[in-house]
Amino acid sequence: MEFNQSLQNKNFLREIEYFEEIDSTNTYLKNSQNIDRKLVIADYQTAGRGRFNRKWISQKGENLTFSIGLEKFKINLLTKLNFFIPIILTKALETTLNIKADIKWPNDLLYSNKKFCGMLIENSIESNNLAKVIIGIGLNCNQTEFPDEISHRTTSLKLILNQFINREKLLASIIDLFADNWNAFLDNPNIFYHLYKMKCTSIGKEISLLHQDRIYRGLFLDVNENGELVLQTNDEILIFNSGEITTIKE
Ligand code: BTN
C-alpha cells in the first residue's frame, strides 16, 4: 500500500485497517474495541455520516474517508480537538499541495467559500475524566461532480488545483503531521487555538447561524477557548457550542 510507504512516522499508529466498502468508518470504530491510535480507511462508505445526522456521500475511489480512534483521551481536551484537527489538515494541504484553506466554524475546510472537507468528531465517556474519541474525516480529493443541491457550495482538491491528487501521499502527510504535533497538542493545546483563529476567516463578519431550528443573526465576535462561537446580536451576546453558520454578503 502506497500509504504505508509514504508514512514517515511509523510509531504513532498502532493499527491500520482498510476497507474497499464499509457502512461508515466512524460507526465501525464506534462498535470496535481497542481502537486507540487505530486508523480505518474506506474507499467507499454505504452509510457515511456527517454532522447533524446528515449523510456524507463520497464517490467510490475518489476521495479520502477515514477515521482515527483514540482511547483514554482527557475529557478537558475534547473541545480543543476542534482546533487541532483542522489545523493539522490545513498544514498538510499547505505543505503537500500549497493550498491555503480557510476554516469555517466549527471545523469545515473551505476554499473560495466552498467546502471540500468535513469532520465528525464523536466521543463516549470511559471514566471520570477520560473518553474514547473517534475522529472522522471526509476530504474531497478527485471527485469533480457533486449532487445538484450542494454543487454550488462544494469543491474538491482536484477542482481547486486542476490536477490529480495522490490520496495515499496526502493521507500519509496528514498522519505524519498529526503524529509529529500530538505531544505539543497535549502539552499546550492553546497553540492550536491561536492558529485556528487565524484561519477562521468568518470572525468579524456578519453571519446567520442555524441552531436547533432557529436562525440567529449578528456579528461573529470570536471563538472562545472552548471552541464556542460568540455572537453579538442587536441586543445581546450569545454563545453557541454548535450550529451552522452562513456569512452574509452585503
Ligand atoms: C460533516 O461535514 O458533516 C462531517 C463529515 C464527516 C465525514 C467523515 S467520512 C469518514 C468518517 N465516517 C463517517 O461516517 N463520517 C466521517
Side-chain angles (χ1 to χ4, degrees), residues 62-119:
E62 304 277 29
N63 302 317
L64 280 171
T65 46
F66 62 97
S67 303
I68 301 166
L70 297 171
E71 282 176 37
K72 299 197 171 54
F73 183 82
K74 289 212 177 78
I75 284 177
N76 63 337
L77 288 180
L78 277 174
T79 55
K80 313 280 181 189
L81 277 177
N82 278 317
F83 308 136
F84 180 69
I85 308 297
I87 285 303
I88 292 303
L89 281 156
T90 55
K91 272 193 188 198
L93 292 166
E94 236 170 280
T95 45
T96 58
L97 298 168
N98 204 17
I99 287 181
K100 289 191 173 37
D102 299 320
I103 298 172
K104 179 186 172 194
W105 182 87
N107 52 25
D108 288 346
L109 298 190
L110 307 192
Y111 189 86
S112 295
N113 281 322
K114 291 182 172 184
K115 173 166 170 172
F116 63 91
C117 180
M119 292 157 222

Side-chain angles (χ1 to χ4, degrees), residues 24-27 45 47-51 56 64-67 108 115 117-120 136-138:
S24 143
T25 53
N26 266 40
T27 308
Q45 297 184 121
R49 297 186 285 114
R51 292 167 66 225
W56 182 262
L64 280 171
T65 46
F66 62 97
S67 303
D108 288 346
K115 173 166 170 172
C117 180
M119 292 157 222
L120 181 65
I137 297 170

Side-chain angles (χ1 to χ4, degrees), residues 43-45 56-65 140 142-147 167:
D43 227 19
Y44 183 64
Q45 297 184 121
W56 182 262
I57 298 170
S58 173
Q59 256 168 35
K60 188 177 176 77
E62 304 277 29
N63 302 317
L64 280 171
T65 46
N140 296 340
N142 290 311
Q143 184 168 341
T144 52
E145 280 170 19
F146 295 93
R167 294 180 296 158

